[in-house]
């Protein structure tokens, strides 16, 4: 415990963050992102099964259930399949390249972009004097990122990486909206010192103990940064913020590698 790995380098990242146009994934090849052709039939088969799938609305009463009786499964049962399905569809379109899955990808993407909040009911933050059985993110300023908002951000960053050219062939508005929402819901609250200090306890910036939410959320935000953030100063700011947050985690992580996330529930 008490190990602050990145502080040993004084958090100096100036000139060390790769610009967006030069960033490449380790799995990138000269011909682009590649998937073993042996997996093509199964990927396409799974995506074909989704072409006629209908997605239920995420309604307010489902969201309110958690505050009312602790039920989180009904809302989450509608929320999570959207995320898994869009990745399946995007991979299928990427390997097949016939346009068969494009409209369905856009439909599911638009559903996710239209969600009032990417924060699940069980993680919805409180607000003084307000019964927060519903999210208040519609106010125009998102001030909280939970585990699954961050995961959603990373998922959509991968969708952008895989499908951005195909989306532009339909209309530039799709990528514009996608990047707008990633900036509004992930990048801006993450860079907001007030939100990080007041709401987002998992950052540890106010001196509190953190758990495994910290590295998980930071890893997803770094994915958003790597795959979608084109402004270099913003990329540097995201990485710069990540280092002390991760040190907040390693400083309280036990020497035996154990995390109290599970046992603390009991």
């Amino acid at each position: 415990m008490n190990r602050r790995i990145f502080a040993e380098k004084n958090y100096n990242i100036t000139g060390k963050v790769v610009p967006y146009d030069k960033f490449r994934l380790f799995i990138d090849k000269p011909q682009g992102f590649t998937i073993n052709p042996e997996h093509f039939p199964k990927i396409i088969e799974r995506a074909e099964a989704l072409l006629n799938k209908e997605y239920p609305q995420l309604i307010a009463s489902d969201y309110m259930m958690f505050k009312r009786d602790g039920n989180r499964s009904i809302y989450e049962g509608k929320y999570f399949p959207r995320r898994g399905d869009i990745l399946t569809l995007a991979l299928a379109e990427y390997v097949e390249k016939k346009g068969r899955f494009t409209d369905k990808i856009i439909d599911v993407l638009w559903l996710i972009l239209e969600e009032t909040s990417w924060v699940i009911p069980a993680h919805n933050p409180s607000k003084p004097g307000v019964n927060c059985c519903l999210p208040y993110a519609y106010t125009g300023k998102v001030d909280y990122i939970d585990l699954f908002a961050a995961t959603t951000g990373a998922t959509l960053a991968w969708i952008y990486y895989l499908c951005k050219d195909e989306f532009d062939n339909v209309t530039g508005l799709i990528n514009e909206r996608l990047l707008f929402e990633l900036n509004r819901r992930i990048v801006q609250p993450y860079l907001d010192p007030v939100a990080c200090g007041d709401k987002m306890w998992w950052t540890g910036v106010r001196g509190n103990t953190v758990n495994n939410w910290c590295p998980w959320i930071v890893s997803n935000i770094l994915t958003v940064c790597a795959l979608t953030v084109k402004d270099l100063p913003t990329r540097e700011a995201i990485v710069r913020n990540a280092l002390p947050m991760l040190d907040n985690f390693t400083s309280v992580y036990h020497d035996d590698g154990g995390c109290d996330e599970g046992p603390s529930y009991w």
Side-chain angles (χ1 to χ4, degrees), residues 153-223:
T155 297
L156 296 192
W158 279 109
I159 297 304
Y160 180 75
Y161 176 80
L162 292 170
C163 303
K164 59 179 179 292
D165 292 338
E166 190 68 24
F167 290 161
D168 275 339
N169 288 335
V170 177
T171 171
L173 295 177
I174 300 169
N175 285 326
E176 183 178 328
R177 173 77 188 279
L178 195 165
L179 294 175
F180 172 83
E181 294 295 352
L182 287 175
N183 182 66
R184 182 175 76 90
R185 300 175 190 244
I186 303 296
V187 175
Q188 290 306 313
Y190 171 78
L191 293 178
D192 183 346
V194 175
C196 284
D198 180 31
K199 292 286 185 182
M200 292 190 279
W201 58 270
W202 53 263
T203 65
V205 300
R206 62 189 184 202
N208 59 291
T209 299
V210 299
N211 62 17
N212 63 351
W213 274 45
C214 176
W216 177 255
I217 293 175
V218 169
S219 71
N220 282 288
I221 293 173
L222 289 174
T223 299

Side-chain angles (χ1 to χ4, degrees), residues 70-90:
N71 185 308
R72 58 189 286 177
S73 61
I74 291 178
Y75 186 89
E76 291 179 12
K78 300 176 181 180
Y79 171 102
F80 286 117
R82 298 178 174 191
R83 277 88 178 145
D85 289 356
I86 195 171
L87 284 171
T88 299
L89 291 160

Side-chain angles (χ1 to χ4, degrees), residues 67-172:
K67 288 292 186 182
R68 289 176 170 176
D69 59 21
N71 185 308
R72 58 189 286 177
S73 61
I74 291 178
Y75 186 89
E76 291 179 12
K78 300 176 181 180
Y79 171 102
F80 286 117
R82 298 178 174 191
R83 277 88 178 145
D85 289 356
I86 195 171
L87 284 171
T88 299
L89 291 160
L91 286 172
E93 181 55 44
Y94 192 86
V95 300
E96 187 182 76
K97 293 181 170 57
K98 293 181 180 179
R100 285 201 300 148
F101 303 103
T102 301
D103 281 357
K104 193 66 175 183
I105 297 168
I106 295 170
D107 284 343
V108 181
L109 172 63
W110 215 253
L111 286 173
I112 296 171
L113 296 177
E114 287 287 300
E115 292 172 8
T116 299
S117 176
W118 293 341
V119 176
I120 63 171
H123 299 161
N124 192 39
S126 61
K127 194 172 186 179
V130 179
N131 176 8
C132 285
C133 59
L134 287 170
Y136 55 83
Y138 64 88
T139 56
K141 182 177 181 180
V142 179
D143 63 2
Y144 191 70
I145 303 169
D146 78 326
L147 284 173
F148 300 114
T151 305
T152 299
T155 297
L156 296 192
W158 279 109
I159 297 304
Y160 180 75
Y161 176 80
L162 292 170
C163 303
K164 59 179 179 292
D165 292 338
E166 190 68 24
F167 290 161
D168 275 339
N169 288 335
V170 177
T171 171

